[in-house]
Amino acid sequence: MRVRDRLGIGPRSQRRLSRAMQVLLVVVVAVGLYGGDAGVVANGAASLAITFLPAALERDAGIPMDSGVTLWITTAVFLHALGTLALPGAELSIYRSVGWWNHLTHALSSSVVAAGGYATIRAIDVHVEGVSVPHRVMFVFILLFVLAFGVLWEVFEFALGELAAATGTRTVLTQYGLADTMLDLVFDALGGLAVAAGGHVYLSDVVDGLVDRLGGR
C-alpha cells in the first residue's frame, strides 16, 4: 500500500499541497531578492523550475505523472530551497542551524534521482527484446546510480566553493567538511535503497508511459 493511501491523502489534496509549495517557493525567491542573497535566489528559482517538470513531461512527452509523484518531487526541492533560508530571528540558515535538515533533503532528493533511474532502466527492460534486468541487478543498479550521482554532486559543490573562494564571491552551494560529505552519501544511499525496494509501487504508470514513448519511436 502506498504511503499516501495510508495517510488518506487523495489526489486533490496532493495537488493542493504541490501548488502551495510552489507559491512558497516564489516567496523564498522574493525573500532572497529582498535580502540580496544570491544563494537563496538561485536555489529557490531552480527548485521552482523543477516543480514544473512533471507537468512538462506529461504534456510534451506523454509520460503520466500522477499527483503523488508530482508531490514527491515538489516536496524534495521545496525542502531544499527552504533550508537555505534563516529561521526567524536567526542569522544562520536552516541547513546550518538544524543538523538533520541536510540529511532529510539528501535522502528525499536522492530518492527522486533513484526514481528517474529506476523508471528508465525498467522501461528499457520491458521494451527492448533481449534485455532482462533481474530484480537483484535492478536493486544494485539503483544503488550505484544514486551513489554515482551523489559523488558528482559533491564534486560540483566543492568546485563551486573553490570558484567562489578564488573570486571572492559567495557560493550558492555549501560543503561543511569531509564528515558532512560522507553523511550526505550515506543518506543518498538510503534514499536510493527506499526506491530500489519499493519504487515499483509508485512508478508503474511512469514506466508504462516511458515504454509507450519508446514504442512510439
Side-chain angles (χ1 to χ4, degrees):
M1 181 181 291
R2 301 182 182 188
V3 174
R4 65 196 188 207
D5 296 329
R6 292 180 181 274
L7 297 176
I9 303 175
R12 187 176 182 182
S13 296
Q14 293 166 35
R15 287 191 293 269
R16 286 179 173 176
L17 286 170
S18 294
R19 293 290 181 271
M21 283 188 279
Q22 285 180 317
V23 171
L24 290 173
L25 282 171
V26 174
V27 174
V28 169
V29 174
V31 170
L33 288 171
Y34 180 78
D37 192 322
V40 172
V41 173
N43 283 281
S47 297
L48 181 62
I50 291 172
T51 64
F52 292 102
L53 181 60
L57 288 173
E58 190 162 31
R59 180 186 66 248
D60 300 333
I63 299 173
M65 305 290 287
D66 72 18
S67 54
V69 173
T70 300
L71 180 60
W72 179 4
I73 296 170
T74 304
T75 300
V77 296
F78 169 71
L79 291 179
H80 165 67
L82 186 63
T84 63
L85 289 177
L87 292 169
E91 295 183 0
L92 298 178
S93 68
I94 295 175
Y95 270 128
R96 289 181 176 273
S97 57
V98 181
W100 50 264
W101 193 271
N102 190 41
H103 307 326
L104 172 65
T105 56
H106 264 273
L108 275 174
S109 297
S110 66
S111 72
V112 172
V113 172
Y118 170 85
T120 301
I121 197 67
R122 177 60 181 154
I124 293 172
D125 178 31
V126 172
H127 175 73
V128 180
E129 293 185 7
V131 174
S132 177
V133 184
H135 179 71
R136 291 183 179 179
V137 174
M138 177 72 77
F139 192 94
V140 174
F141 168 81
I142 294 301
L143 183 58
L144 293 178
F145 179 77
V146 166
L147 287 175
F149 188 90
V151 169
L152 288 175
W153 181 261
E154 296 299 330
V155 171
F156 179 62
E157 282 189 342
F158 175 78
L160 283 182
E162 291 297 299
L163 178 62
T167 58
T169 58
R170 183 177 178 181
T171 182
V172 297
L173 295 171
T174 304
Q175 283 189 318
Y176 303 104
L178 179 59
D180 177 74
T181 298
M182 293 299 100
L183 278 175
D184 286 348
L185 292 175
V186 168
F187 282 91
D188 287 344
L190 290 177
L193 286 172
V195 172
H200 63 283
V201 177
Y202 299 91
L203 300 168
S204 56
D205 290 342
V206 177
V207 171
D208 291 342
L210 283 172
V211 171
D212 291 342
R213 184 71 173 173
L214 291 171
R217 291 181 178 178

